[in-house]
Amino acid sequence: MVDPLPEMSTEQSDPRFSQIDRLPTEQIARLMNAADAAVPVAVAVAIPAISAAIDAIANQMAAGGRLLYVGAGTSGRLAVLDASECPPTFGTDPSLVQGIIAGGPDALTRSVEGAEDDADAGAATMAELEVGPLDSVVGISASGRAPFVLGAVTEAGRRGALTVGLSCNSDSPLSAASAHAIEVVVGAEVVTGSTRLKAGTAQKLVLNMISTISMVRLGRTYGNRMIEVSAMNSKLADRAARMVGDITGADLDTARKALDEAGGQAKVAVVMIQHGLDAGGARARLEEHGERLGDALEKVNGT
């Protein structure tokens, strides 16, 4: 059996970087910066595939499904990072977007030997999470061949879930196993095979798009504002007050008072001010309009 690893673009050695151990620090930094500049270009090539996957994911989530990221090593850490930012940014329940890393939480800070190679563990994780037809599972693997990720995506597909494969090589096994294949081919790394570099950056950029645009599609922003943010600390309270004031035209004192009465929920405070409602009435108004602030405000502005 021929080992495909040496043939993959992420495993190639770039001669431009073959003498970096002999170069001054600034020259190495400039080389790395130039290499990184190619990453957004590679992501741009994949935007049609990324967009199709996001639309499918948003439709699943609108019907009540979860978004589950699955990765190993750097890919798994990026998965957990992106998922963990959704509750504070978009006000989601922590169960809605989840990051799963091979080897479990211990693997976030240290290597867990053999975890990446356990396809059965990946499949078992999908069973433990009771993945079903409404869920979306995004497998993340720079090589596109991590067994844990392949096992998870294959089992998720068997259970009827929407499957997406994000890799940095062409024609990978992960792409073949997924309903939506996203391949961001960034080429050889500055340090040969160190896919935490360009490949990791590419994966982060794509995950930013998947989570952010899905939440926009679900109405969890108002324009480009984080309207679902809860004022749980002083920084967020100040940000929320300014946002409420900007949207409604109210002064900061009025915005802060409404936020206090709304329990720190910015979009509730906006509806309170715009419609002269108390917090309960504002929440009812939002529920009536599917929790979409824009729809609720348009309906009233048109009356």
Side-chain angles (χ1 to χ4, degrees):
M1 182 182 226
V2 177
D3 180 7
L5 194 61
E7 304 303 319
M8 294 189 299
S9 64
T10 49
E11 296 297 322
Q12 301 302 303
S13 180
D14 191 324
R16 293 178 299 170
F17 312 127
S18 62
Q19 302 293 317
I20 58 171
D21 57 336
R22 302 184 182 183
L23 298 177
T25 297
E26 183 173 336
Q27 190 171 348
I28 300 172
R30 292 188 183 280
L31 283 171
M32 290 189 70
N33 183 243
D36 288 341
V39 175
V41 177
V43 172
V45 172
I47 281 179
I50 296 167
S51 301
I54 292 170
D55 282 339
I57 289 168
N59 286 339
Q60 295 280 99
M61 296 181 79
R66 300 168 294 176
L67 171 57
L68 307 176
Y69 295 134
V70 183
T74 296
S75 298
R77 295 179 189 104
L78 290 170
V80 173
L81 172 63
D82 197 76
S84 67
E85 293 290 351
C86 286
T89 305
F90 301 110
T92 58
D93 186 280
S95 66
L96 184 64
V97 183
Q98 299 180 44
I100 299 151
I101 183 171
D106 286 347
L108 290 172
T109 56
R110 63 181 179 82
S111 175
V112 176
E113 296 299 329
E116 176 178 335
D117 297 330
D118 194 340
D120 290 341
T125 301
M126 297 297 97
E128 289 167 10
L129 290 171
E130 299 182 340
V131 167
L134 291 180
D135 294 321
S136 301
V137 175
V138 180
I140 312 162
S141 169
S143 68
R145 65 195 290 269
F148 180 89
V149 178
L150 286 169
V153 168
T154 300
E155 176 63 16
R158 190 188 71 78
R159 290 170 165 267
L162 174 75
T163 55
V164 178
L166 170 56
S167 67
C168 294
N169 281 284
S170 299
D171 303 319
S172 70
L174 179 58
S175 292
S178 304
H180 289 267
I182 300 172
E183 298 176 341
V184 184
V185 182
V186 295
E189 299 285 5
V190 172
V191 175
T192 302
S194 182
T195 52
R196 70 184 183 87
L197 301 175
K198 289 193 298 180
T201 300
Q203 291 171 345
K204 182 65 171 75
L205 292 176
V206 175
L207 294 178
N208 285 348
M209 290 181 179
I210 291 174
S211 57
T212 301
I213 300 174
S214 292
M215 293 301 161
V216 171
R217 293 274 74 85
L218 292 170
R220 302 195 76 85
T221 64
Y222 179 67
N224 64 344
R225 295 180 174 96
M226 295 188 292
I227 197 61
E228 297 282 356
V229 69
S230 292
M232 304 302 290
N233 59 43
S234 60
K235 179 188 76 173
L236 292 178
D238 287 344
R239 180 184 295 164
R242 291 195 305 272
M243 179 168 55
V244 171
D246 288 344
I247 294 171
T248 64
D251 59 63
L252 281 178
D253 286 341
T254 301
R256 289 191 179 104
K257 182 174 184 296
L259 273 169
D260 285 343
E261 294 175 3
Q265 294 179 296
K267 73 176 182 180
V268 174
V270 169
V271 175
M272 289 171 64
I273 293 171
Q274 290 293 83
H275 305 299
L277 298 170
D278 62 15
R283 290 190 179 95
R285 173 76 68 174
L286 283 163
E287 185 176 351
E288 180 185 348
H289 296 291
E291 298 296 331
R292 292 176 179 267
L293 179 60
D295 289 350
L297 295 182
E298 285 176 11
K299 294 283 186 183
V300 172
N301 289 341
T303 60

Short mmCIF file of all heavy atoms in Angstrom, two decimals, residues 122-167:
data_model
loop_
_atom_site.label_atom_id
_atom_site.label_comp_id
_atom_site.label_asym_id
_atom_site.label_seq_id
_atom_site.Cartn_x
_atom_site.Cartn_y
_atom_site.Cartn_z
N GLY A 122 -14.34 8.44 17.04
CA GLY A 122 -15.07 9.49 16.35
C GLY A 122 -16.51 9.10 16.12
O GLY A 122 -17.44 9.88 16.37
N ALA A 123 -16.73 7.88 15.67
CA ALA A 123 -18.09 7.39 15.45
C ALA A 123 -18.86 7.31 16.77
O ALA A 123 -20.04 7.68 16.84
CB ALA A 123 -18.05 6.02 14.78
N ALA A 124 -18.19 6.85 17.81
CA ALA A 124 -18.84 6.72 19.12
C ALA A 124 -19.27 8.07 19.66
O ALA A 124 -20.32 8.19 20.31
CB ALA A 124 -17.90 6.03 20.10
N THR A 125 -18.48 9.11 19.39
CA THR A 125 -18.84 10.45 19.85
C THR A 125 -20.15 10.90 19.22
O THR A 125 -20.99 11.54 19.88
CB THR A 125 -17.72 11.44 19.52
OG1 THR A 125 -16.51 11.03 20.16
CG2 THR A 125 -18.07 12.84 20.00
N MET A 126 -20.34 10.59 17.95
CA MET A 126 -21.59 10.95 17.29
C MET A 126 -22.78 10.20 17.92
O MET A 126 -23.87 10.77 18.08
CB MET A 126 -21.52 10.63 15.79
CG MET A 126 -20.45 11.42 15.03
SD MET A 126 -20.73 13.22 15.00
CE MET A 126 -19.67 13.76 16.36
N ALA A 127 -22.54 8.97 18.29
CA ALA A 127 -23.60 8.20 18.95
C ALA A 127 -23.91 8.77 20.33
O ALA A 127 -25.08 8.90 20.72
CB ALA A 127 -23.19 6.73 19.06
N GLU A 128 -22.87 9.13 21.08
CA GLU A 128 -23.07 9.69 22.41
C GLU A 128 -23.85 11.00 22.36
O GLU A 128 -24.67 11.29 23.24
CB GLU A 128 -21.71 9.94 23.07
CG GLU A 128 -20.97 8.66 23.47
CD GLU A 128 -19.52 8.93 23.82
OE1 GLU A 128 -19.15 10.12 23.94
OE2 GLU A 128 -18.75 7.96 23.96
N LEU A 129 -23.62 11.79 21.32
CA LEU A 129 -24.31 13.06 21.17
C LEU A 129 -25.67 12.91 20.51
O LEU A 129 -26.38 13.90 20.31
CB LEU A 129 -23.45 14.04 20.35
CG LEU A 129 -22.18 14.54 21.04
CD1 LEU A 129 -21.31 15.31 20.06
CD2 LEU A 129 -22.56 15.44 22.22
N GLU A 130 -26.03 11.67 20.18
CA GLU A 130 -27.31 11.37 19.55
C GLU A 130 -27.54 12.25 18.32
O GLU A 130 -28.59 12.86 18.13
CB GLU A 130 -28.46 11.53 20.55
CG GLU A 130 -28.34 10.57 21.73
CD GLU A 130 -29.50 10.70 22.71
OE1 GLU A 130 -30.19 11.75 22.70
OE2 GLU A 130 -29.73 9.74 23.47
N VAL A 131 -26.52 12.29 17.47
CA VAL A 131 -26.60 13.07 16.24
C VAL A 131 -27.73 12.53 15.37
O VAL A 131 -27.91 11.32 15.23
CB VAL A 131 -25.26 13.02 15.49
CG1 VAL A 131 -25.39 13.55 14.06
CG2 VAL A 131 -24.20 13.79 16.26
N GLY A 132 -28.51 13.46 14.79
CA GLY A 132 -29.65 13.06 13.99
C GLY A 132 -29.81 13.90 12.74
O GLY A 132 -28.96 14.74 12.42
N PRO A 133 -30.90 13.72 12.02
CA PRO A 133 -31.09 14.36 10.70
C PRO A 133 -31.12 15.88 10.70
O PRO A 133 -30.87 16.49 9.67
CB PRO A 133 -32.44 13.79 10.24
CG PRO A 133 -32.59 12.50 10.97
CD PRO A 133 -31.96 12.74 12.30
N LEU A 134 -31.41 16.51 11.84
CA LEU A 134 -31.44 17.98 11.87
C LEU A 134 -30.06 18.59 12.12
O LEU A 134 -29.86 19.78 11.92
CB LEU A 134 -32.41 18.47 12.94
CG LEU A 134 -33.89 18.25 12.67
CD1 LEU A 134 -34.73 18.79 13.83
CD2 LEU A 134 -34.32 18.90 11.36
N ASP A 135 -29.11 17.77 12.55
CA ASP A 135 -27.80 18.27 12.92
C ASP A 135 -26.89 18.45 11.71
O ASP A 135 -27.07 17.82 10.67
CB ASP A 135 -27.13 17.32 13.92
CG ASP A 135 -27.86 17.26 15.25
OD1 ASP A 135 -28.33 18.32 15.70
OD2 ASP A 135 -27.96 16.16 15.82
N SER A 136 -25.91 19.33 11.87
CA SER A 136 -24.85 19.53 10.88
C SER A 136 -23.52 19.21 11.54
O SER A 136 -23.22 19.72 12.62
CB SER A 136 -24.83 20.98 10.39
OG SER A 136 -26.07 21.35 9.82
N VAL A 137 -22.73 18.36 10.91
CA VAL A 137 -21.43 17.97 11.44
C VAL A 137 -20.35 18.41 10.46
O VAL A 137 -20.35 18.00 9.30
CB VAL A 137 -21.35 16.46 11.68
CG1 VAL A 137 -19.94 16.05 12.13
CG2 VAL A 137 -22.37 16.04 12.75
N VAL A 138 -19.44 19.27 10.93
CA VAL A 138 -18.34 19.77 10.11
C VAL A 138 -17.06 19.09 10.57
O VAL A 138 -16.57 19.35 11.67
CB VAL A 138 -18.21 21.30 10.24
CG1 VAL A 138 -17.05 21.81 9.37
CG2 VAL A 138 -19.51 21.99 9.84
N GLY A 139 -16.52 18.23 9.73
CA GLY A 139 -15.25 17.58 10.01
C GLY A 139 -14.11 18.47 9.54
O GLY A 139 -14.15 19.00 8.42
N ILE A 140 -13.10 18.65 10.39
CA ILE A 140 -11.99 19.57 10.09
C ILE A 140 -10.68 18.79 10.19
O ILE A 140 -10.36 18.23 11.24
CB ILE A 140 -11.96 20.75 11.08
CG1 ILE A 140 -13.36 21.36 11.23
CG2 ILE A 140 -10.96 21.82 10.62
CD1 ILE A 140 -13.51 22.22 12.47
N SER A 141 -9.94 18.77 9.10
CA SER A 141 -8.67 18.04 9.07
C SER A 141 -7.81 18.62 7.96
O SER A 141 -8.22 18.62 6.80
CB SER A 141 -8.91 16.55 8.82
OG SER A 141 -7.70 15.87 8.54
N ALA A 142 -6.65 19.14 8.30
CA ALA A 142 -5.78 19.74 7.29
C ALA A 142 -5.44 18.74 6.20
O ALA A 142 -5.53 19.04 5.00
CB ALA A 142 -4.51 20.28 7.94
N SER A 143 -5.09 17.53 6.60
CA SER A 143 -4.75 16.49 5.63
C SER A 143 -5.98 15.95 4.92
O SER A 143 -5.91 15.44 3.80
CB SER A 143 -4.03 15.33 6.32
OG SER A 143 -4.92 14.65 7.20
N GLY A 144 -7.13 16.02 5.60
CA GLY A 144 -8.34 15.42 5.06
C GLY A 144 -8.39 13.92 5.24
O GLY A 144 -9.20 13.24 4.61
N ARG A 145 -7.57 13.42 6.16
CA ARG A 145 -7.52 11.97 6.33
C ARG A 145 -7.46 11.52 7.79
O ARG A 145 -7.22 10.34 8.08
CB ARG A 145 -6.34 11.37 5.56
CG ARG A 145 -4.99 11.82 6.07
CD ARG A 145 -3.87 11.53 5.09
NE ARG A 145 -3.57 10.14 4.93
CZ ARG A 145 -2.65 9.47 5.64
NH1 ARG A 145 -2.00 10.08 6.62
NH2 ARG A 145 -2.43 8.21 5.41
N ALA A 146 -7.65 12.42 8.76
CA ALA A 146 -7.60 12.04 10.18
C ALA A 146 -8.68 11.02 10.49
O ALA A 146 -9.88 11.32 10.33
CB ALA A 146 -7.76 13.28 11.05
N PRO A 147 -8.33 9.81 10.93
CA PRO A 147 -9.33 8.77 11.15
C PRO A 147 -10.44 9.16 12.12
O PRO A 147 -11.60 8.81 11.90
CB PRO A 147 -8.49 7.59 11.69
CG PRO A 147 -7.14 7.80 11.08
CD PRO A 147 -6.95 9.29 11.09
N PHE A 148 -10.11 9.85 13.22
CA PHE A 148 -11.15 10.26 14.18
C PHE A 148 -12.21 11.10 13.48
O PHE A 148 -13.42 10.89 13.67
CB PHE A 148 -10.52 11.06 15.32
CG PHE A 148 -11.51 11.52 16.37
CD1 PHE A 148 -11.83 10.73 17.46
CD2 PHE A 148 -12.13 12.78 16.26
CE1 PHE A 148 -12.74 11.17 18.42
CE2 PHE A 148 -13.05 13.21 17.21
CZ PHE A 148 -13.35 12.40 18.29
N VAL A 149 -11.77 12.04 12.67
CA VAL A 149 -12.69 12.93 11.96
C VAL A 149 -13.49 12.15 10.92
O VAL A 149 -14.71 12.31 10.79
CB VAL A 149 -11.93 14.10 11.32
CG1 VAL A 149 -12.88 15.00 10.54
CG2 VAL A 149 -11.19 14.91 12.39
N LEU A 150 -12.81 11.29 10.17
CA LEU A 150 -13.50 10.48 9.16
C LEU A 150 -14.53 9.57 9.81
O LEU A 150 -15.65 9.41 9.28
CB LEU A 150 -12.48 9.65 8.38
CG LEU A 150 -11.62 10.42 7.38
CD1 LEU A 150 -10.49 9.53 6.87
CD2 LEU A 150 -12.46 10.90 6.21
N GLY A 151 -14.18 8.99 10.94
CA GLY A 151 -15.13 8.12 11.64
C GLY A 151 -16.36 8.89 12.09
O GLY A 151 -17.50 8.40 11.96
N ALA A 152 -16.16 10.12 12.59
CA ALA A 152 -17.28 10.94 13.05
C ALA A 152 -18.17 11.35 11.89
O ALA A 152 -19.41 11.24 11.97
CB ALA A 152 -16.75 12.17 13.78
N VAL A 153 -17.57 11.82 10.82
CA VAL A 153 -18.35 12.30 9.67
C VAL A 153 -19.11 11.15 9.01
O VAL A 153 -20.28 11.29 8.64
CB VAL A 153 -17.42 13.01 8.66
CG1 VAL A 153 -18.14 13.25 7.33
CG2 VAL A 153 -16.93 14.33 9.24
N THR A 154 -18.46 10.01 8.89
CA THR A 154 -19.13 8.85 8.29
C THR A 154 -20.33 8.42 9.12
O THR A 154 -21.42 8.15 8.59
CB THR A 154 -18.14 7.69 8.13
OG1 THR A 154 -17.06 8.11 7.28
CG2 THR A 154 -18.82 6.48 7.52
N GLU A 155 -20.16 8.36 10.44
CA GLU A 155 -21.26 7.96 11.32
C GLU A 155 -22.37 9.02 11.31
O GLU A 155 -23.56 8.68 11.31
CB GLU A 155 -20.75 7.76 12.74
CG GLU A 155 -21.82 7.43 13.78
CD GLU A 155 -22.55 6.11 13.53
OE1 GLU A 155 -22.05 5.29 12.72
OE2 GLU A 155 -23.62 5.90 14.14
N ALA A 156 -21.99 10.30 11.28
CA ALA A 156 -22.99 11.36 11.22
C ALA A 156 -23.83 11.25 9.96
O ALA A 156 -25.06 11.39 9.99
CB ALA A 156 -22.31 12.72 11.29
N GLY A 157 -23.16 10.97 8.84
CA GLY A 157 -23.89 10.79 7.59
C GLY A 157 -24.81 9.59 7.64
O GLY A 157 -25.94 9.64 7.13
N ARG A 158 -24.35 8.53 8.27
CA ARG A 158 -25.19 7.34 8.40
C ARG A 158 -26.44 7.64 9.21
O ARG A 158 -27.51 7.05 8.96
CB ARG A 158 -24.39 6.21 9.06
CG ARG A 158 -25.07 4.86 9.04
CD ARG A 158 -24.34 3.84 9.87
NE ARG A 158 -24.46 4.11 11.30
CZ ARG A 158 -25.53 3.83 12.03
NH1 ARG A 158 -26.61 3.27 11.47
NH2 ARG A 158 -25.55 4.09 13.34
N ARG A 159 -26.32 8.57 10.15
CA ARG A 159 -27.45 8.94 11.00
C ARG A 159 -28.36 10.00 10.35
O ARG A 159 -29.30 10.46 10.97
CB ARG A 159 -26.94 9.46 12.34
CG ARG A 159 -26.32 8.38 13.21
CD ARG A 159 -25.60 8.96 14.43
NE ARG A 159 -25.34 7.90 15.39
CZ ARG A 159 -26.15 7.58 16.40
NH1 ARG A 159 -27.25 8.28 16.59
NH2 ARG A 159 -25.86 6.60 17.21
N GLY A 160 -28.02 10.38 9.14
CA GLY A 160 -28.86 11.32 8.40
C GLY A 160 -28.50 12.78 8.58
O GLY A 160 -29.20 13.66 8.07
N ALA A 161 -27.40 13.08 9.29
CA ALA A 161 -27.00 14.47 9.52
C ALA A 161 -26.40 15.06 8.25
O ALA A 161 -25.90 14.34 7.37
CB ALA A 161 -25.99 14.55 10.66
N LEU A 162 -26.44 16.38 8.16
CA LEU A 162 -25.73 17.09 7.10
C LEU A 162 -24.24 17.02 7.43
O LEU A 162 -23.83 17.28 8.56
CB LEU A 162 -26.18 18.55 7.05
CG LEU A 162 -25.41 19.45 6.09
CD1 LEU A 162 -25.82 19.17 4.66
CD2 LEU A 162 -25.65 20.92 6.43
N THR A 163 -23.41 16.69 6.45
CA THR A 163 -21.97 16.57 6.70
C THR A 163 -21.18 17.51 5.80
O THR A 163 -21.48 17.67 4.62
CB THR A 163 -21.47 15.13 6.48
OG1 THR A 163 -21.83 14.68 5.16
CG2 THR A 163 -22.09 14.19 7.51
N VAL A 164 -20.18 18.14 6.41
CA VAL A 164 -19.29 19.07 5.71
C VAL A 164 -17.86 18.66 6.03
O VAL A 164 -17.53 18.37 7.19
CB VAL A 164 -19.53 20.52 6.16
CG1 VAL A 164 -18.56 21.47 5.46
CG2 VAL A 164 -20.98 20.93 5.90
N GLY A 165 -17.00 18.64 5.02
CA GLY A 165 -15.60 18.33 5.24
C GLY A 165 -14.73 19.52 4.89
O GLY A 165 -14.78 20.01 3.76
N LEU A 166 -13.96 20.02 5.87
CA LEU A 166 -13.05 21.15 5.65
C LEU A 166 -11.62 20.64 5.71
O LEU A 166 -11.16 20.17 6.77
CB LEU A 166 -13.28 22.22 6.73
CG LEU A 166 -12.27 23.37 6.81
CD1 LEU A 166 -12.13 24.09 5.49
CD2 LEU A 166 -12.67 24.33 7.94
N SER A 167 -10.92 20.70 4.58
CA SER A 167 -9.54 20.22 4.53
C SER A 167 -8.69 21.19 3.73
O SER A 167 -9.19 22.14 3.14
CB SER A 167 -9.47 18.83 3.91
OG SER A 167 -9.84 18.88 2.53
#
